[in-house]
Amino acid sequence: MHIETAAVSSGRPPAQPDQPLNVPPTFASTYTAGGALEYGRFGNPTWSAFEEALGALEGGDCRVFASGLAAIAAVLDQVPVGGTVVALAHCYLGTQTQLAHAEERGAFHHVLVDALDVPALHSAVRTADMVIIESPTNPALEVVDIAAVVEVARSVGVVVVVDNTFATPILQRPLELGADIVVHSATKFISGHSDVVMGAALTRDADRLAALTTFRSIQGATPGPMEVFLALRGLRTLALRVERAQANAGELVRLLTGHPGLIEVRYPGFGAIISVVLPDADAADAFVAGVRLCRHATSLGGVETTLERRRRWSGEVKTIPEGLVRMSIGIEHVDDIAADILQALG
Ligand SMILES: *Cc1c(COP(=O)(O)O)cnc(C)c1O
């Protein structure tokens, strides 16, 4: 089955008379005793429907979480005490914060490596317990050869985790490339409408899946049924949205490359995220304040075009330029996005 079809057809009730086409949101804190669910922190039919659907897209078994960072916390819980995690210097800020907290409380160590320094990355992986890759990175948009990291990691038994939030399974399926675990902020492209905070983790390994499930149950990192219902509704159109947003992004990159107001246009060649670099913070702030159709907002992956100067966050990594504006391109008509961006740059 093609992935576009799986996005539409997976996670549905059986095709039987009077079955609804969609699994409804099940609002239940508890279930009549004696079954597989028992209590609302352990399981929910709406979660199962979403897990079946995203699992079909990524090619693994899925567990939903309360947020992307809850999913990442569940994954990091699999690092042995005193172990080492390798992450990218430009990985998601929340991931870096979790790694720093784990280090502070003596749980495990972490090493940050430049995504583009392939020899350094591969040699760091050789001495780690787990490596977390984001590709493309947020917001530097560096790309990592996942299969190459998997090859190095496999030879020394290191767990490979890929945060696939930016690429989505439409454009990149890390489990097929040999990764052990995939994590998502379903808040972004998967749900796609800027109305849900949710996460997911996926694996093909039964023991790792069991550990994710246990973490969710005992730490209570559970999403509400309405969030999961909305995320599954959003996932139905993931392929269409990614296709259109990516086409828009490609056209905007062509249009913006060489624009006199921009020092750099960064685009990895796929996906819907573009980072543009303006001369300084003031120029970037004026740009994001000047848009009318697009919205100045953090987060990304919605149907609407949003943009943000990342260094407005004091915690953002200092090697991200002050004038860098990350743009999440939506599915509006590209001419309208282009006109707005050009007037704001002007
Ligand atoms: C947003 C994001 C996260 C965190 O997800 P939340 O749903 O906000 O907790 C993790 N990784 C990446 C790449 C993200 O963009």
Side-chain angles (χ1 to χ4, degrees):
M1 191 188 286
H2 293 89
I3 195 160
E4 295 84 351
T5 312
V8 172
S9 65
S10 55
R12 301 261 186 205
Q16 289 161 8
D18 284 345
Q19 283 284 335
L21 268 77
N22 293 288
V23 172
T26 298
F27 296 102
S29 61
T30 189
Y31 306 90
T32 303
L37 294 171
E38 295 282 6
Y39 185 55
R41 190 159 19 81
F42 304 151
N44 179 291
T46 319
W47 298 358
S48 303
F50 177 90
E51 289 169 348
E52 190 184 318
L54 188 57
L57 299 193
E58 289 283 9
D61 291 310
C62 176
R63 289 295 175 262
V64 284
F65 286 89
S67 65
L69 278 182
I72 289 168
V75 169
L76 290 179
D77 193 56
Q78 301 190 11
V79 179
V81 172
T84 300
V85 175
V86 170
L88 304 178
H90 290 155
C91 73
Y92 181 69
L93 211 49
T95 306
Q96 287 204 30
T97 307
Q98 285 195 10
L99 293 170
H101 282 180
E103 182 106 38
E104 273 165 31
R105 64 176 207 273
F108 54 79
H109 309 285
H110 71 282
V111 181
L112 298 177
V113 189
D114 181 344
L116 300 181
D117 189 345
V118 176
L121 176 60
H122 288 188
S123 80
V125 167
R126 284 191 191 94
T127 61
D129 295 279
M130 178 184 281
V131 53
I132 300 188
I133 299 166
E134 243 174 82
S135 185
T137 57
N138 175 12
L141 302 181
E142 298 134 335
V143 172
V144 174
D145 184 341
I146 294 171
V149 171
V150 164
E151 199 182 320
V152 175
R154 276 263 170 89
S155 66
V156 283
V158 173
V159 180
V160 178
V161 180
V162 177
D163 183 333
N164 207 27
T165 300
F166 269 43
T168 84
I170 303 300
L171 303 176
Q172 171 171 282
R173 286 177 292 283
L175 297 177
E176 287 178 4
L177 299 173
D180 298 289
I181 304 176
V182 164
V183 291
H184 272 285
S185 172
T187 310
K188 315 291 169 53
F189 290 99
I190 301 271
S191 62
H193 295 72
S194 307
D195 51 9
V196 165
V197 172
M198 210 187 93
L202 300 102
T203 181
R204 292 175 171 179
D205 181 300
D207 292 337
R208 298 206 176 277
L209 183 71
L212 291 169
T213 312
T214 301
F215 180 94
R216 183 176 68 182
S217 295
I218 66 173
Q219 305 286 353
T222 53
M226 196 62 204
E227 277 74 8
V228 184
F229 175 82
L230 287 171
L232 180 53
R233 187 179 161 124
L235 181 146
R236 298 297 181 209
T237 55
L238 179 66
L240 269 180
R241 287 186 285 106
V242 167
E243 205 174 290
R244 172 64 174 268
Q246 176 172 256
N248 283 352
E251 264 191 76
L252 290 166
V253 167
R254 278 188 289 282
L255 191 78
L256 293 174
T257 301
H259 188 285
L262 300 174
I263 291 173
E264 196 186 344
V265 177
R266 292 191 193 177
Y267 184 63
F270 61 96
I273 310 294
I274 305 169
S275 287
V276 294
V277 183
L278 286 90
D280 51 35
D282 287 346
D285 283 337
F287 172 44
V288 300
V291 290
R292 295 176 193 142
L293 170 71
C294 308
R295 281 292 179 98
H296 177 210
T298 197
S299 196
L300 54 102
V303 290
E304 61 289 279
T305 299
T306 57
L307 74 182
E308 180 186 32
R309 182 172 81 84
R310 285 300 301 176
R311 284 290 299 278
R312 79 189 177 98
W313 299 99
S314 60
E316 181 59 276
V317 183
K318 304 298 176 243
T319 47
I320 298 300
E322 281 278 8
L324 182 144
V325 173
R326 184 187 65 197
M327 302 196 292
S328 173
I329 306 306
I331 63 168
E332 305 93 335
H333 196 290
V334 68
D335 292 351
D336 295 325
I337 307 172
D340 190 35
I341 287 175
L342 290 176
Q343 70 77 23
L345 280 175

